[in-house]
Amino acid sequence: TIELLKDLRDRLMVLRGFFDVDNREQKINNNKQLSLSPGFWENSQRATSVLKSIKLDEYWLNLYNDVKTNLED
C-alpha cells in the first residue's frame, strides 16, 4: 500500500543516516585518490589500512544501495 511504501522510504532515510552514506562516499573517494599518490605504497602498513578502509566502506554502501534498489523496484 501507499502508507507502507512511505514508511519504507522513511526507514531508508534513517538507514542512510545510520550508514553515514555521504561521509562514506567522500571517504572512499579521498582514500582512492590517496592510493594513487606517489609514495603511497612505501608504507605498506598504511597502504593496507587505507585499502581495508575502502573495502569496508564500500561494503556498507553496497548494503545500503541494495536496500534502496529493492525498495525502488
Side-chain angles (χ1 to χ4, degrees):
T1 66
I2 293 173
E3 287 181 27
L4 179 59
L5 189 57
K6 183 184 179 318
D7 182 53
L8 290 173
R9 286 187 176 137
D10 290 343
R11 289 180 186 208
L12 182 64
M13 292 306 296
V14 170
L15 198 59
R16 182 178 180 85
F18 179 76
F19 284 146
D20 198 11
V21 171
D22 296 329
N23 188 42
R24 283 185 195 271
E25 288 173 339
Q26 185 63 42
K27 187 177 170 190
I28 289 168
N29 290 333
N30 290 343
N31 282 338
K32 283 184 176 181
Q33 284 298 106
L34 178 64
S35 72
L36 299 174
S37 66
F40 175 75
W41 295 102
E42 290 174 7
N43 183 338
S44 64
Q45 283 184 328
R46 182 170 178 253
T48 300
S49 176
V50 169
L51 295 178
K52 283 182 180 180
S53 177
I54 291 171
K55 187 172 183 166
L56 181 62
D57 286 331
E58 286 178 336
Y59 171 80
W60 287 110
L61 281 181
N62 288 336
L63 286 177
Y64 170 79
N65 286 327
D66 287 348
V67 171
K68 182 179 176 186
T69 300
N70 286 330
L71 179 61
E72 290 172 350
D73 289 345

